[in-house]
Amino acid sequence: MTPATRQKVLGLYRKVLQIAKNWQSASGQIEETVRGKEYIRNEARTLFRKNKNVTDPKLIKQCIEECEARIEIGLHYNIPYPRPIHLPPMGLAHKQGRTLRHQEKLRKISKPIYLKSHDEVS
């Protein structure tokens, strides 16, 4: 990793932690604000630690672009969580019965395109 890339990555990490520190939920409720702050910090730590050994310049660039996209989308919508896109009806219904495989497929399809470095944990 070049020194310039390293500085950019560290700057993004600091920016994310600063956003978490100053985060206010859209509803203004204290519980939601605290959960949002914790989610931002935990997500940043998880992703940055997961990708700390990446050496391929293309992958590093992709991770940087993803981080910037998530920051912009989160600030724009005032929601720290990834937003599902093109979500089919009942795509996030409860997992039960015969349609379980179909629902899992719909969940996979609805994963945001900017969210490539972190697999869904649910």
Side-chain angles (χ1 to χ4, degrees):
M1 183 183 305
T2 65
T5 305
R6 180 176 167 76
Q7 288 299 329
K8 183 162 183 104
V9 170
L10 291 174
L12 281 171
Y13 188 67
R14 283 191 292 270
K15 183 176 181 176
V16 170
L17 293 180
Q18 188 67 31
I19 289 169
K21 183 178 177 184
N22 299 323
W23 184 259
Q24 287 292 324
S25 70
S27 67
Q29 293 181 350
I30 295 173
E31 300 86 25
E32 285 186 27
T33 299
V34 170
R35 277 190 302 231
K37 287 180 178 187
E38 288 176 9
Y39 175 80
I40 294 169
R41 277 193 302 268
N42 291 337
E43 186 78 357
R45 285 185 189 126
T46 302
L47 290 175
F48 277 87
R49 286 180 182 158
K50 177 183 174 191
N51 295 318
K52 74 178 181 179
N53 295 323
V54 175
T55 56
D56 182 25
K58 289 182 181 180
L59 286 175
I60 293 172
K61 183 179 179 193
Q62 182 182 5
C63 290
I64 289 171
E65 289 172 355
E66 179 185 331
C67 181
E68 290 170 343
R70 288 186 72 176
I71 288 170
E72 291 302 317
I73 291 170
L75 291 175
H76 177 77
Y77 291 106
N78 201 24
I79 299 172
Y81 312 105
R83 298 170 44 94
I85 57 173
H86 305 298
L87 187 61
M90 298 300 291
L92 295 177
H94 294 289
K95 296 180 178 180
Q96 56 182 313
R98 292 178 14 182
T99 60
L100 177 61
R101 283 181 290 188
H102 181 65
Q103 288 177 7
E104 287 176 352
K105 181 180 176 185
L106 291 176
R107 289 173 200 265
K108 186 181 260 187
I109 291 171
S110 68
K111 189 174 178 181
I113 56 174
Y114 63 87
L115 186 61
K116 294 181 181 174
S117 68
H118 196 294
D119 293 328
E120 202 170 339
V121 184
S122 60

